[in-house]
Amino acid sequence: MPMSIAIEPTTACNLGCPECPSGLKKFTRPTGNLKKERFHQLLDELDRHLVNITFYFQGEPFINPNFLDLVKMAHERKIFTSTSTNAHFISAEVAEKTVASGLDQMIISIDGTTQEVYEKYRKGGSLEKVLEGSKQMVIAKQKLKSPTPKLIFQFLVVAPNEHQIEDAKALAEQMGMDEIRFKSAQLYDYENGNPLMPQNEDYSRYRLGADGKWKIKNKLLNQCWKMWHSCVVTWDGKVVPCCFDKDAQHPMGRANEGFKAAWRGEEYHQFRTQILSGRDQLDICKNCTEGTKVWMEA
């Protein structure tokens, strides 16, 4: 049984980021919010196995009105909890409720240190709201004398913002963040180049081949440890193999029909077998590589 799962609180999002199906509103699956009853059922089946729950897949978690109730339910069962947010919905009141929920870690997306640069990727977003939400989280932790959640700025490095990396480090320290991470961007259309691709290849998932085409750096070996220790559960209960299956096109079963049946079922067995024999033939694996760099811990 899995040690770690990602839970999707919602598929809805207030932004329109160009490399995100949620932001582009291009899902083929329905949009909705995870219900407390469905999550409670899943916890009852998995809590004795789980070490970690990430409350994020697609969408902005704080759009789900029950989001912090879900976090509290997991925290009460002594499971490590984390989330990723664009921080547009974090007021002083929400910040205190977030700290009180027991959330262990919060990743805040900040892909620019000026509004002009930030909105080039975070379409429709407000850097002012991100900074205010981040500030309120720091204040709430101090007020409630809580060491958690750990606050992490995540900077998705793309061509429009790569010149602000040093500024981002300084901003994270100034704001009182615990850490800042610089992450490479997954691009859907990259073979002929992409205007979002950074010039510094250290921050790119892709390299230019001898044939003039861009290729993913990952060698795509026939292995993936995540297939045996973790998975994703969508807001409506689909069990999918990993976070690269953004549109849930590889459902392994439904959690509300018994998670164990899905985890140990024939669909999962066949998918894992394909991973071990020809991973490069799986669409969701072809653009898979880990590119996070941690540069500063405040």
Side-chain angles (χ1 to χ4, degrees):
M1 299 292 276
M3 298 171 58
S4 175
I5 61 172
I7 292 288
E8 182 177 62
T10 183
T11 42
C13 188
N14 54 309
L15 302 186
C17 305
E19 295 293 325
C20 175
S22 180
L24 293 172
K25 315 300 186 285
K26 286 189 175 180
F27 282 128
T28 60
R29 57 193 179 99
T31 295
N33 293 327
L34 175 64
K35 305 297 184 185
K36 287 192 289 185
E37 296 77 13
R38 186 185 296 274
F39 183 59
H40 189 277
Q41 178 184 346
L42 184 65
L43 276 181
D44 282 346
E45 188 170 2
L46 290 182
D47 65 351
R48 69 189 182 93
H49 304 283
L50 290 177
V51 175
N52 173 76
I53 294 179
T54 299
F55 285 95
Y56 177 74
F57 178 35
Q58 298 298 300
E60 166 52 45
F62 281 92
I63 287 178
N64 185 330
N66 298 314
F67 169 55
L68 294 177
D69 293 329
L70 304 177
V71 172
K72 186 176 181 180
M73 289 165 64
H75 174 72
E76 288 174 346
R77 303 197 190 202
K78 304 187 186 309
I79 301 170
F80 184 92
T81 56
S82 61
T83 194
S84 181
T85 176
N86 61 44
H88 280 59
F89 300 98
I90 303 178
S91 62
E93 179 183 3
V94 171
E96 288 191 24
K97 288 182 178 179
T98 301
V99 174
S101 74
L103 183 70
D104 291 294
Q105 178 172 283
M106 174 184 283
I107 294 173
I108 298 173
S109 296
I110 179 165
D111 303 331
T113 59
T114 61
Q115 177 62 27
E116 180 185 9
V117 171
Y118 173 80
E119 66 185 0
K120 287 183 178 179
Y121 187 80
R122 296 284 164 181
K123 302 293 185 182
S126 165
L127 179 61
E128 182 180 359
K129 288 184 177 180
V130 178
L131 297 180
E132 179 61 23
S134 302
K135 174 184 174 182
Q136 292 302 331
M137 286 301 306
V138 172
I139 291 172
K141 286 177 62 177
Q142 293 171 344
K143 181 178 179 179
L144 299 178
K145 297 181 173 55
S146 174
T148 58
K150 181 178 183 179
L151 299 175
I152 301 170
F153 268 170
Q154 181 171 279
F155 193 97
L156 189 69
V157 181
V158 288
N161 69 18
E162 62 180 314
H163 66 287
Q164 292 188 335
I165 286 174
E166 293 302 320
D167 293 339
K169 296 178 189 178
L171 181 61
E173 188 167 11
Q174 175 189 334
M175 295 289 298
M177 295 294 105
D178 297 304
E179 187 178 315
I180 183 167
R181 297 178 180 177
F182 295 90
K183 184 179 180 182
S184 64
Q186 178 192 12
L187 305 174
Y188 290 99
D189 184 11
Y190 61 83
E191 287 190 358
N192 296 311
N194 187 302
L196 289 173
M197 198 176 290
Q199 292 184 5
N200 187 337
E201 284 197 34
D202 287 344
Y203 296 101
S204 177
R205 301 185 184 211
Y206 313 96
R207 63 166 53 95
L208 190 61
D211 59 357
K213 299 288 187 181
W214 290 87
K215 296 174 172 50
I216 194 165
K217 292 178 180 178
N218 193 348
K219 293 180 180 180
L220 286 182
L221 300 176
N222 291 333
Q223 60 189 39
C224 181
W225 65 295
K226 288 191 174 184
M227 292 301 101
W228 286 266
H229 101 283
S230 66
C231 69
V232 175
V233 180
T234 65
W235 73 271
D236 55 351
K238 290 180 181 176
V239 179
V240 296
C242 80
C243 62
F244 277 83
D245 190 7
K246 300 181 189 301
D247 208 9
Q249 295 179 323
H250 297 273
M252 301 292 130
R254 301 195 71 89
N256 58 312
E257 295 173 359
F259 182 89
K260 184 184 291 187
W263 183 254
R264 299 181 178 176
E266 184 60 26
E267 290 287 341
Y268 235 135
H269 174 69
Q270 291 180 9
F271 193 87
R272 292 180 178 117
T273 300
Q274 180 68 51
I275 290 283
L276 298 176
S277 59
R279 183 172 167 229
D280 60 352
Q281 300 304 304
L282 290 166
D283 57 340
I284 64 172
C285 297
K286 291 179 180 179
N287 204 0
C288 175
T289 185
E290 297 297 325
T292 299
K293 292 188 176 184
V294 179
W295 284 87
M296 182 273 286
E297 292 187 5

